[in-house]
Amino acid sequence: MTGAAEFRTETWATHGEAVVTVTGEIDLVTSPILRDALTGRPHCREVDFTHVTFCTAPD
C-alpha cells in the first residue's frame, strides 16, 4: 500500500469538460480520495489511469 501521501488526483478542464488524472496506487486507503475527485463531475470526459500502479499479493 502506498498510502494517501503518494496518491493524488488532478482535475483540469478542456472544452468545458473535466479530465481527472490519477497518480499512485488505488487501494482501500486511497479509494475515498479517488471517489471524491470523481463525485460531482457530471461532465467528466476522461479519467487518466496512466500513472496508476497495481500491487499484487506475494506468492
Side-chain angles (χ1 to χ4, degrees), residues 2 6 31 48 51-52 56 59:
T2 62
E6 297 174 22
S31 62
D48 178 5
H51 303 287
V52 171
T56 59
D59 294 333

Side-chain angles (χ1 to χ4, degrees), residues 39-58:
T39 300
R41 304 209 187 284
H43 301 291
C44 185
R45 182 175 97 167
E46 179 179 335
V47 179
D48 178 5
F49 290 112
T50 303
H51 303 287
V52 171
T53 57
F54 297 93
C55 183
T56 59

Side-chain angles (χ1 to χ4, degrees), residues 3-29:
E6 297 174 22
F7 181 83
R8 71 178 186 273
T9 62
E10 297 176 49
T11 304
W12 50 281
T14 178
H15 305 293
E17 297 178 315
V19 176
V20 178
T21 301
V22 183
T23 303
E25 184 176 312
I26 300 170
D27 56 26
L28 291 174
V29 172

